[in-house]
C-alpha cells in the first residue's frame, strides 16, 4: 500500500485534514472560478439569452454527472474502507468495476446527443429564443460525456486513496485550460455558446489523458487489470447503493433547476432565467470551499472507520464541522454586503444588477446554516450508511426546496422563487442536526475504549 494511504491512520487529524482538504478546496475553488468565468464570457459575448440557454441545458448535463457521481463517490467509499481493512485486491476489483461503469455512463450520454436532447430541452422549459443556445451548449457536452465521466468519477477514487494533491491537479488542469480556450472560441472564432461548450470538452479530454497515465504507471495505490474490468454484481450493487445518495443529490439539483426555470418563465420570463443563471454560478462558487472540506474528510472517515479507529473519526467530524461553519459565515457576510459588485462583474445592465442583487440577498439569508448540511450527508456516505445519507441528500432540494419553489411564486411571484432558498436551508439544517444528535455517541462523544463502540440503530 502506498504511503499516501497509510498516513490516513497515522498522521495527526488537524494536519491530515489540512493536507487533504486544502488541495480539494483549491481544486474546487478553481473549478468554481472557471464556471463563473465561463458564464462571464457567455454573458459578455452572447448576452443574457446565452446565459439563459446554458441554464436550461445545464440540468441535462447534471443528470449525466449524477450517474458519474454515484459511481465515483460510491466506489471511493468502498475502496477507502477496503484499503483501511488492508484488502488490496478487493479494492482493485472495485476500481475495475468503476471503470466498467464509467464507459456505460458515457455511452448513454453519447446516444442521447442524437436522440432525445432537443425534446428534453423543450420539456425542461426552453422557449423558442432560448432553445438554439441550449442546443449549441449541450450537444458537444453530451458527445464528450466519456471525458466528463472519467474525470469526475476518478477524482473521488484518487482522493479515496489519500492522494489529494493529484486530485487537485485533475481539477485545476481542465479549469485553467478552459479559461484560456473560452475567449478564443467565444470571441476569436465567434462560436458563441457552442465555443464555451467545446472549450469545456477539450479541457476534460486533456485531463483524462493525465488521469489514465496516473493509474497505468503505478503511481496509484490501485492497480488496473483487465480481469477486474469484468462486471461483478455484488461490487456494482455495493458501489451504487453507497453512491445512490450522491445520484439523488445531483438529480435533485437538476430537478430543482428545471422547477426554478419553469416557474421563472411562468411568473417572469427569459430575463429572470438569465439572472438566475448568473446567481446559480455564484452559488456554486460559494459552496465549493465547503465541499472541499468534505472531500478532505471523507477518505479519513472511511479509512479510519474501516480500521476501527473511532477516536480519529470523531476528531475529524468535530474539526470539519468547525471549519465549514466558519466558511459559511464568511460567505454570508460577502453576499449580504457586496451583491451589486458581484453582479456588475457579469453585466453592466442596471436591470440585471438590481434583480440579481435582490435575489442574492434573499437566497443567501440563511447561508450560515449551509456548512452543516453539506458535511452531514457526505459524512454518512463515507461511513457506508446509505439510509441517512440518502435522506439528507434529498432533504434540501427534493423534500423542501422544490415544493417551496412550486408553491411560493403563486403568492409572491418571482420573489417566491428566491424566498424558497432560505426557508429550505433552515428546514434542511434542522433535519441534519436531528440525525447528528441521534448519532452523537459515534460522532461527538469520545470514549476511553473504542472497542466499546456500538452502532446506533437510527443510522443503520
Amino acid at each position: 500500500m502506498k504511503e499516501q494511504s497509510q498516513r490516513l491512520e497515522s498522521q495527526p487529524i488537524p494536519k491530515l485534514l489540512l493536507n487533504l482538504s486544502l488541495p480539494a478546496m483549491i481544486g474546487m475553488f478553481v473549478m468554481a472560478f472557471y464556471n463563473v468565468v465561463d458564464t462571464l464570457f457567455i454573458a459578455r459575448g452572447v448576452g443574457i439569452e446565452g446565459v439563459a440557454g446554458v441554464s436550461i441545458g445545464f440540468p441535462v448535463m447534471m443528470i449525466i454527472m449524477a450517474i458519474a457521481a454515484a459511481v465515483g463517490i460510491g466506489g471511493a467509499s468502498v475502496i477507502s474502507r477496503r484499503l483501511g481493512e488492508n484488502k488490496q485486491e478487493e479494492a482493485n476489483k472495485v476500481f475495475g468495476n468503476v471503470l466498467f461503469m464509467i464507459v456505460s455512463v458515457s455511452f448513454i450520454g453519447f446516444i442521447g446527443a442524437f436522440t432525445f436532447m432537443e425534446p428534453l430541452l423543450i420539456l425542461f422549459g426552453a422557449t423558442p429564443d432560448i432553445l438554439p443556445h441550449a442546443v449549441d451548449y449541450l450537444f458537444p457536452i453530451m458527445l464528450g460525456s466519456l471525458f466528463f465521466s472519467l474525470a469526475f468519477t476518478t477524482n473521488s477514487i484518487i482522493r479515496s486513496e489519500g492522494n489529494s494533491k493529484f486530485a487537485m491537479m485533475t481539477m485545476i488542469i481542465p479549469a485553467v485550460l478552459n479559461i484560456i480556450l473560452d475567449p478564443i472560441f467565444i470571441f476569436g472564432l465567434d462560436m458563441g455558446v457552442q465555443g464555451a461548450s467545446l472549450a469545456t470538452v477539450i479541457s476534460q479530454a486533456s485531463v483524462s489523458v493525465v488521469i489514465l497515465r496516473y493509474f497505468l504507471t503505478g503511481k496509484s495505490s490501485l492497480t488496473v487489470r483487465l480481469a477486474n474490468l469484468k462486471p461483478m454484481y455484488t461490487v456494482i450493487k455495493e458501489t451504487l447503493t453507497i453512491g445512490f445518495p450522491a445520484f439523488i443529490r445531483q438529480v435533485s439539483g437538476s430537478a430543482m433547476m428545471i422547477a426554478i426555470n419553469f416557474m421563472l418563465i411562468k411568473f417572469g420570463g427569459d430575463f429572470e432565467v438569465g439572472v438566475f443563471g448568473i446567481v446559480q454560478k455564484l452559488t456554486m462558487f460559494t459552496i465549493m470551499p465547503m465541499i472541499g472540506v468534505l472531500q478532505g474528510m471523507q477518505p479519513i472517515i472511511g479509512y479510519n472507520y474501516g480500521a476501527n479507529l473511532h477516536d480519529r473519526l470523531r476528531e475529524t467530524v468535530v474539526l470539519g464541522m468547525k471549519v465549514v461553519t466558519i466558511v459559511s459565515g464568511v460567505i454570508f457576510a460577502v453576499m449580504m454586503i457586496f451583491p451589486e459588485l458581484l453582479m456588475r462583474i457579469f453585466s453592466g445592465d442596471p436591470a440585471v444588477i438590481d434583480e440579481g442583487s435582490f435575489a442574492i440577498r434573499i437566497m443567501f439569508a440563511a447561508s450560515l446554516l449551509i456548512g452543516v448540511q453539506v458535511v452531514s450527508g457526505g459524512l454518512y456516505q463515507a461511513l457506508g450508511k446509505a439510509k441517512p445519507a440518502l435522506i439528507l441528500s434529498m432533504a434540501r432540494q427534493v423534500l423542501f426546496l422544490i415544493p417551496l419553489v412550486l408553491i411560493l411564486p403563486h403568492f409572491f411571484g418571482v420573489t417566491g422563487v428566491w424566498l424558497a432558498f432560505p426557508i429550505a436551508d433552515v428546514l434542511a439544517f434542522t433535519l441534519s442536526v436531528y440525525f447528528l444528535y441521534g448519532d452523537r455517541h459515534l460522532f461527538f462523544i469520545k470514549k476511553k475504549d473504542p472497542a466499546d463502540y456500538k452502532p446506533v440503530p437510527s443510522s443503520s
Side-chain angles (χ1 to χ4, degrees):
M1 188 183 299
K2 301 288 185 181
E3 182 273 335
Q4 62 205 28
S5 298
Q6 292 176 334
R7 65 175 176 161
L8 293 171
E9 68 177 28
S10 59
Q11 198 171 75
I13 293 299
K15 181 179 179 180
L16 182 59
L17 184 60
L18 178 64
N19 288 340
L20 294 181
S21 292
L22 187 58
M25 290 176 68
I26 294 172
M28 298 298 286
F29 179 85
V30 173
M31 284 193 67
F33 181 71
Y34 133 69
N35 274 289
V36 170
V37 171
D38 200 47
T39 304
L40 171 61
F41 283 133
I42 293 172
R44 295 289 184 178
V46 182
I48 199 69
E49 297 85 4
V51 178
V54 173
S55 183
I56 291 292
F58 195 64
V60 182
M61 179 181 172
M62 289 179 67
I63 293 174
I64 299 174
M65 303 313 296
I67 303 173
V71 175
I73 294 176
S77 175
V78 178
I79 288 171
S80 64
R81 284 182 282 116
R82 294 294 188 275
L83 292 175
E85 295 163 356
N86 201 28
K87 297 178 180 179
Q88 180 68 49
E89 188 54 36
E90 288 191 23
N92 290 334
K93 290 180 180 179
V94 175
F95 181 55
N97 275 249
V98 165
L99 294 178
F100 168 79
M101 288 185 277
I102 288 173
V103 176
S104 302
V105 171
S106 63
F107 181 75
I108 295 172
F110 185 84
I111 296 299
F114 297 98
T115 54
F116 54 80
M117 181 182 66
E118 190 166 325
L120 200 59
L121 289 171
I122 295 173
L123 179 65
F124 286 178
T127 64
D129 292 332
I130 294 177
L131 183 60
H133 296 294
V135 171
D136 284 348
Y137 176 76
L138 193 60
F139 186 74
I141 294 289
M142 296 186 73
L143 289 181
S145 56
L146 173 62
F147 306 124
F148 286 91
S149 299
L150 179 65
F152 195 77
T153 302
T154 53
N155 183 268
S156 299
I157 303 298
I158 293 166
R159 283 188 287 103
S160 74
E161 58 178 355
N163 197 344
S164 58
K165 290 183 180 179
F166 184 71
M168 174 187 70
M169 293 307 300
T170 65
M171 292 187 284
I172 291 178
I173 291 172
V176 171
L177 184 57
N178 203 318
I179 292 171
I180 295 172
L181 293 177
D182 263 344
I184 296 175
F185 289 145
I186 295 174
F187 300 108
L189 300 179
D190 195 26
M191 296 179 67
V193 173
Q194 193 172 62
S197 179
L198 186 59
T200 301
V201 173
I202 292 174
S203 302
Q204 294 296 330
S206 67
V207 79
S208 295
V209 175
V210 176
I211 290 170
L212 288 174
R213 185 175 180 274
Y214 170 79
F215 285 111
L216 294 174
T217 55
K219 296 180 180 179
S220 170
S221 295
L222 302 168
T223 303
V224 180
R225 296 192 183 96
L226 289 177
N228 291 335
L229 297 177
K230 181 180 179 180
M232 299 174 61
Y233 173 76
T234 54
V235 172
I236 293 176
K237 180 182 178 182
E238 183 179 9
T239 299
L240 295 182
T241 299
I242 302 300
F244 188 65
F247 174 80
I248 291 296
R249 184 167 58 247
Q250 291 278 350
V251 169
S252 62
S254 179
M256 175 200 73
M257 291 191 66
I258 294 169
I260 290 172
N261 289 332
F262 178 80
M263 298 304 285
L264 288 176
I265 289 174
K266 181 177 181 178
F267 290 92
D270 294 354
F271 171 80
E272 282 77 12
V273 174
V275 170
F276 173 70
I278 294 174
V279 177
Q280 177 65 11
K281 295 297 183 181
L282 289 173
T283 301
M284 292 174 61
F285 186 78
T286 58
I287 204 170
M288 289 301 183
M290 289 179 281
I291 294 178
V293 174
L294 173 61
Q295 289 182 344
M297 294 172 61
Q298 284 179 319
I300 306 174
I301 291 170
Y303 188 100
N304 285 284
Y305 185 67
N308 203 36
L309 299 174
H310 296 286
D311 282 346
R312 289 175 62 81
L313 185 155
R314 296 185 191 97
E315 186 179 355
T316 303
V317 173
V318 172
L319 182 58
M321 287 291 186
K322 291 178 180 178
V323 173
V324 295
T325 300
I326 294 172
V327 172
S328 60
V330 173
I331 290 170
F332 173 79
V334 171
M335 290 299 170
M336 293 300 106
I337 298 172
F338 304 112
E340 293 87 359
L341 178 62
L342 295 172
M343 289 302 300
R344 286 195 186 99
I345 296 174
F346 297 90
S347 176
D349 186 340
V352 174
I353 295 171
D354 289 345
E355 182 65 23
S357 301
F358 177 71
I360 286 173
R361 283 200 170 97
I362 295 178
M363 291 170 64
F364 283 86
S367 58
L368 280 168
L369 309 178
I370 293 177
V372 173
Q373 300 172 43
V374 170
V375 168
S376 57
L379 171 62
Y380 282 103
Q381 277 184 329
L383 294 173
K385 295 179 177 293
K387 182 178 177 181
L390 175 61
I391 294 173
L392 292 174
S393 295
M394 293 175 58
R396 181 179 183 269
Q397 295 176 329
V398 176
L399 300 182
F400 304 131
L401 186 55
I402 292 177
L404 288 168
V405 165
L406 296 176
I407 294 171
L408 294 181
H410 292 281
F411 300 95
F412 304 103
V414 170
T415 303
V417 175
W418 316 140
L419 283 170
F421 283 82
I423 297 174
D425 285 335
V426 172
L427 295 174
F429 171 81
T430 303
L431 186 63
S432 297
V433 171
Y434 170 80
F435 272 95
L436 293 171
Y437 181 77
D439 286 331
R440 61 193 179 278
H441 293 288
L442 174 59
F443 297 141
F444 303 115
I445 299 177
K446 184 177 180 180
K447 296 185 176 182
K448 294 181 180 179
D449 184 4
D452 292 338
Y453 166 72
K454 295 181 180 179
V456 179
S458 65
S459 298
S460 60

